[in-house]
Amino acid sequence: MVDAGVDSITALGSTGSYAYLSREERWTALRIAIENAGDVPVFAGIGALRTSHVQALAEDAQSAGVAGVLLAPMTYQTHTDDDVYGLYADVTRDLSVPLIVYDNPGTTHVTFTDDLYQRVTALPNVASIKIPELPDDPDAAAARVAQIRSRIPAHVTIGISGDPAASTGLIAGCEAWYSVIGGTLPQPALTITRAVQRGDAAAAVAESERLRPLWELFGRVGSLRVMAAVAEHYGPATRSCLPLPIRGLDDVTRAEAIALIERLGLQPTP
């Protein structure tokens, strides 16, 4: 990632399986990321079920020297908006680095309303929100980004998640892309991002369309499993790297995924 020229590295995001790792395992992963990041800023996921555990992970991340933290409201019991707001209020109270609010309803089963966006982003040290996929229609996507922008402070950036929607989100006005493929296959993520940054929306859309078979595979079997298979096939991960009870791809789908990666010319550089 550093050699590819990424703008930042997020360790312990959803693709990093943070929710399944112990505090000690997270510390090891974070230390490895920071030691190898050079001058590239490293953000760390700190999500956990209990606020006290999140606070402990935030302390670990700050002591490790992260540039910021990423927090999703993990759940077992259903959260109210006040529960979610209280989590962020408690964590940001003692935080000394920027915080990214991670709105990921597919995994957390928490849906942020615009009112909740407004409340949470008014807290100290909140620097960005990572929003779910936007409408496919470019005008509708731009309208949605503008709607969110009107409810949050000007200094808080809006980042898109969901790789198939990345080009749409960036063109619609999102300032960041919190990417799945960027952690293992950074070049196509950079191709899309840099195209938008230089004002070439058509090139960004064309690259995303070229990757549509990969997006479709993500939708069918899950981006986590596909990226794990890529990391296992090309290294440095070994099979099976996902924390149980999560199972990796079966042999047939694994072969399909690797063949697709090679057909698209996305093999990671050794």
Side-chain angles (χ1 to χ4, degrees), residues 45 114 122 160 268:
D114 287 1
I160 187 65

Side-chain angles (χ1 to χ4, degrees), residues 192-239:
I192 291 170
T193 302
R194 299 297 184 239
V196 176
Q197 289 174 332
R198 68 174 181 266
D200 192 348
V205 171
E207 177 66 0
S208 187
E209 282 299 309
R210 186 180 77 85
L211 299 175
R212 181 170 293 279
L214 180 59
W215 306 150
E216 291 173 349
L217 185 62
F218 280 6
R220 179 158 58 87
V221 301
S223 59
L224 171 65
R225 289 176 171 83
V226 174
M227 287 295 96
V230 171
E232 290 168 359
H233 183 79
Y234 295 102
T238 57
R239 189 173 181 180

Side-chain angles (χ1 to χ4, degrees), residues 49-99:
L49 286 174
R50 290 182 60 182
T51 297
S52 61
H53 296 171
V54 175
Q55 291 169 323
L57 292 166
E59 291 176 6
D60 289 348
Q62 290 177 108
S63 66
V66 298
V69 294
L70 172 73
L71 177 56
M74 289 178 60
T75 62
Y76 179 74
Q77 300 293 345
T78 301
H79 283 355
T80 67
D81 282 4
D82 286 342
D83 292 335
V84 176
Y85 175 79
L87 167 67
Y88 287 101
D90 289 338
V91 172
T92 57
R93 187 176 298 115
D94 299 318
L95 201 62
S96 61
V97 297
L99 180 141

Side-chain angles (χ1 to χ4, degrees), residues 139-174:
D139 291 337
R144 177 59 184 146
V145 173
Q147 183 180 30
I148 296 171
R149 170 57 58 203
S150 71
R151 301 292 298 274
I152 66 175
H155 71 273
V156 176
T157 64
I158 300 173
I160 187 65
S161 63
D163 286 10
S167 61
T168 300
L170 292 171
I171 293 167
C174 291

Side-chain angles (χ1 to χ4, degrees), residues 236-257:
T238 57
R239 189 173 181 180
S240 295
C241 70
L242 291 174
L244 294 173
I246 304 175
R247 307 283 171 171
L249 298 180
D250 60 39
D251 290 343
V252 172
T253 312
R254 177 182 298 269
E256 177 188 353

Side-chain angles (χ1 to χ4, degrees), residues 7 9 33 41 49 53 62 68 86 100 109-110 129 139 141 161 173 179-180 203 215 222 227 231 258 266:
D7 297 318
I9 295 170
L49 286 174
H53 296 171
Q62 290 177 108
I100 303 161
H109 311 293
V110 172
I129 55 174
D139 291 337
S161 63
S179 174
V180 170
W215 306 150
M227 287 295 96
I258 298 307
L266 301 179

